[in-house]
Amino acid sequence: MEWFEKLYDESESVKVRFVGFTTDTVRYDFGIVYTNMFFGKPMVVCMQTGRSALLDSNDMRNLEYIKQVFHIKSLKEAEDLALFFEEAVPHLPVIEQYD
């Protein structure tokens, strides 16, 4: 193995919320990981596809970003997810991690 420089190696007990819901056309299953890492952004994982994203309140309102990261095809599905994220993911201030 080549030499590498470790950037971080943190252990932390975190809160995880699992949420499943349906819309008129689609079923969703998400895990939401609340952590102090990643500038305080919760990590949202789609349990069906394994796709994940760090979402803050700006990201949750960005429909094109939601479509891209979760491979959503329609704008309506992205709007449904944005509404869910607005309700399910708390609005936390971004935490500065670096000096």
Side-chain angles (χ1 to χ4, degrees):
M1 173 185 241
E2 291 185 37
W3 184 87
F4 62 93
E5 182 179 351
K6 187 181 288 189
L7 299 176
Y8 61 88
D9 184 357
E10 301 287 331
S11 295
E12 160 182 33
S13 294
V14 298
K15 179 181 175 186
V16 180
R17 177 179 176 195
F18 295 99
V19 182
F21 66 98
T22 62
T23 65
D24 291 336
T25 58
V26 182
R27 174 189 170 138
Y28 295 102
D29 297 282
F30 285 101
I32 304 169
V33 181
Y34 302 95
T35 174
N36 291 319
M37 298 293 294
F38 315 119
F39 306 99
K41 289 184 177 186
M43 181 172 31
V44 179
V45 180
C46 176
M47 304 304 288
Q48 296 166 326
T49 65
R51 298 187 192 289
S52 63
L54 300 170
L55 297 179
D56 65 14
S57 57
N58 291 329
D59 300 325
M60 289 179 239
R61 289 188 290 270
N62 185 335
L63 299 181
E64 287 302 318
Y65 179 69
I66 289 173
K67 282 178 64 177
Q68 175 190 2
V69 77
F70 292 111
H71 288 239
I72 304 297
K73 294 182 176 139
S74 76
L75 188 59
K76 172 67 172 124
E77 288 179 41
E79 289 171 348
D80 291 341
L81 275 183
L83 287 173
F84 164 74
F85 292 144
E86 286 285 329
E87 222 176 84
V89 180
H91 298 276
L92 302 173
V94 173
I95 300 168
E96 192 168 319
Q97 281 186 274
Y98 304 110
D99 294 331

